[in-house]
Amino acid sequence: MSQSIEVLNLRTQRDFQYVLKMETQMKGLKAKFRQIEDDRKTLMTKHFQDLKEKMDELLPLIPVLEQYKTDAKLITQFKEEIRNLSAVLTGIQEEIGAYDYEELHQRVLSLETRLRDCMKKLTCGKLMKITGPITVKTSGTRFGAWMTDPLASEKNNRVWYMDSYTNNKIVREYKSITDFISGAESRTYNLPFKWAGTNHVVYNGSLYFNKYQSNIIIKYSFDTGRVLAQRSLEYAGFHNVYPYTWGGFSDIDLMADEIGLWAIYATNQNAGNIVISQLNQDTLEVMKSWSTGYPKRSAGESFMICGTLYVTNSHLTGAKVYYSYSTKTSTYEYTDIPFHNQYFHISMLDYNARDRALYAWNNGHQVLFNVTLFHIIKTEDDT
């Protein structure tokens, strides 16, 4: 741009000098013309006419001269702006040049680490509100499950889809929510066993589900296509002994949150009330259990957030989160958190810690609910 302006400037200055010279000649001719006009009686008619014609030829140059004057001022302004811009760019270059690339890179990484540490302190909180739902897709039967992996990387947005609560062992995989909506399957898995219920979970690349007509939990790897572990959940009721209010072999509910992998079920030993067990994700061994006083058959659905179990009082219209149990304090409380059961029948409701959302199967509709948490900022003294 500077070179173009300079060329234009030289050309304009050259023309400008020529017009200035013409302006001087015009002024001289105009003065002589006045003299001649004053004493035109003494001048021959022919000379007067010649001068008049020259004057007529020069008159159109006057507006040209004025335009060149304007252009010259504009070019001067352009040059000044170019100088100012160059100075600014030079200053920026000098400022950037003051830092070594590696130093800048390390500063960015340090900032990112600090931000992630800050986010970790805001990870957990108490459920305050549920909004939505957002209908993602309408497909399948009245009952089923769909999910993403809460431990997957940000670039990995695979979706898994398991239609029906029984007599099925086909899992459909989609590379993204967009592919899921359009129905573009990327892969299909044929599980070695049929599943029971709709309360499965994908966690760290593996599918955890309840084997049909048993209280056995299966860990199945999507990468290898093999069963990595299986274990019986001791004393857990199964095959509609202690299901949720809607039935559907929903006796054992597997779920994950910010803390890890969980199993929700009921036992005769706990009088049919809900038992919460934290599982080892590799061996499926029960690491610790909590016995609640809430009847499993009176629960519509349940989900874990930050080590607290939230239980709904129904699977139908008017359902709300009615009860919560904290595994951190081993205490419970009754709550009143309503949510919109848009399609009248919920057969799956699970929390995804990465998305901070509830995935639900709502009468043949795959929907998402947003959650609002009251965050508790952890300090160095918190365990």
Side-chain angles (χ1 to χ4, degrees):
M1 187 168 67
S2 297
Q3 292 176 353
S4 298
I5 290 293
E6 193 61 34
V7 170
L8 180 60
N9 182 46
L10 291 174
R11 187 170 60 205
T12 303
Q13 290 297 329
R14 182 189 62 197
D15 293 343
F16 183 57
Q17 293 300 323
Y18 171 77
V19 175
L20 284 178
K21 186 184 296 183
M22 294 301 296
E23 183 183 32
T24 303
Q25 292 179 8
M26 286 171 61
K27 288 179 180 178
L29 286 171
K30 195 170 185 179
K32 289 181 179 180
F33 185 79
R34 287 198 186 101
Q35 292 176 5
I36 293 170
E37 190 174 22
D38 291 339
D39 197 19
R40 61 182 177 277
K41 292 180 181 179
T42 60
L43 190 66
M44 290 174 27
T45 303
K46 184 177 181 300
H47 291 168
F48 176 80
Q49 188 62 33
D50 290 342
L51 290 174
K52 185 70 174 175
E53 290 176 356
K54 282 189 177 183
M55 188 64 185
D56 290 340
E57 291 175 0
L58 292 173
L59 282 175
L61 292 175
I62 293 176
V64 176
L65 173 65
E66 295 301 325
Q67 181 62 45
Y68 273 121
K69 287 182 178 178
T70 303
D71 290 345
K73 290 180 181 178
L74 184 60
I75 289 173
T76 301
Q77 292 175 3
F78 282 162
K79 291 176 70 176
E80 186 64 26
E81 290 182 20
I82 289 289
R83 279 195 293 268
N84 292 340
L85 181 58
S86 297
V88 171
L89 291 173
T90 300
I92 293 174
Q93 187 176 14
E94 290 176 353
E95 184 176 349
I96 293 176
Y99 301 101
D100 181 75
Y101 171 79
E102 286 300 325
E103 181 185 354
L104 284 173
H105 184 62
Q106 290 302 319
R107 289 175 64 181
V108 170
L109 291 178
S110 174
L111 178 60
E112 183 180 12
T113 301
R114 288 162 59 195
L115 288 173
R116 288 187 181 278
D117 289 341
C118 183
M119 284 301 296
K120 286 179 182 178
K121 292 181 179 180
L122 292 174
T123 293
C124 276
K126 182 178 181 180
L127 179 66
M128 302 299 292
K129 186 178 181 181
I130 300 175
T131 56
I134 300 168
T135 302
V136 177
K137 188 176 181 179
T138 300
S139 66
T141 63
R142 293 184 65 196
F143 318 99
W146 72 294
M147 65 213 82
T148 60
D149 188 343
L151 293 187
S153 65
E154 293 182 2
K155 294 181 180 180
N156 183 353
N157 295 302
R158 288 186 295 174
V159 177
W160 291 272
Y161 179 89
M162 301 170 69
D163 192 12
S164 186
Y165 65 86
T166 185
N167 200 32
N168 197 354
K169 56 180 184 177
I170 301 299
V171 181
R172 305 185 189 283
E173 180 183 285
Y174 304 84
K175 288 185 178 180
S176 66
I177 287 286
T178 302
D179 285 352
F180 173 60
I181 294 171
S182 66
E185 293 180 23
S186 61
R187 192 171 175 183
T188 299
Y189 301 89
N190 191 355
L191 301 179
F193 312 106
K194 294 178 182 178
W195 63 72
T198 58
N199 307 116
H200 334 291
V201 64
V202 174
Y203 189 70
N204 200 23
S206 293
L207 171 67
Y208 297 81
F209 67 96
N210 177 207
K211 183 180 178 182
Y212 181 59
Q213 290 188 330
S214 75
N215 60 8
I216 296 174
I217 300 172
I218 304 292
K219 178 183 180 181
Y220 176 85
S221 170
F222 284 127
D223 290 335
T224 64
R226 294 188 305 154
V227 171
L228 299 183
Q230 55 181 311
R231 183 182 292 270
S232 175
L233 197 57
E234 192 175 20
Y235 304 122
F238 61 93
H239 205 64
N240 274 347
V241 173
Y242 294 119
Y244 288 128
T245 54
W246 66 275
F249 306 142
S250 55
D251 304 70
I252 297 173
D253 192 350
L254 302 171
M255 57 187 70
D257 68 353
E258 291 84 354
I259 294 175
L261 185 66
W262 305 86
I264 308 302
Y265 55 98
T267 64
N268 291 333
Q269 288 76 3
N270 196 37
N273 295 323
I274 290 176
V275 176
I276 305 169
S277 290
Q278 188 173 8
L279 305 179
N280 181 299
Q281 64 170 301
D282 297 320
T283 65
L284 302 180
E285 182 182 0
V286 173
M287 297 189 292
K288 187 175 181 181
S289 292
W290 295 259
S291 296
T292 77
Y294 197 93
K296 178 72 161 53
R297 283 182 165 273
S298 296
E301 276 289 343
S302 68
F303 52 90
M304 296 286 292
I305 299 180
C306 301
T308 296
L309 179 70
Y310 294 92
V311 182
T312 70
N313 62 347
S314 173
H315 64 281
L316 301 172
T317 302
K320 61 183 178 181
V321 177
Y322 181 71
Y323 175 91
S324 68
Y325 186 96
S326 170
T327 59
K328 184 176 182 180
T329 61
S330 298
T331 58
Y332 71 91
E333 65 176 328
Y334 288 97
T335 60
D336 187 7
I337 305 174
F339 61 95
H340 183 39
N341 188 348
Q342 184 169 349
Y343 303 106
F344 317 118
H345 188 289
I346 290 180
S347 59
M348 170 249 176
L349 188 64
D350 277 327
Y351 173 70
N352 185 293
R354 186 185 74 164
D355 300 337
R356 296 284 178 88
L358 295 173
Y359 283 63
W361 192 289
N362 198 183
N363 204 8
H365 303 267
Q366 292 74 52
V367 304
L368 289 172
F369 292 93
N370 291 316
V371 298
T372 300
L373 303 181
F374 177 75
H375 292 289
I376 302 169
I377 302 177
K378 295 186 292 186
T379 64
E380 296 295 332
D381 297 330
D382 290 335
T383 57

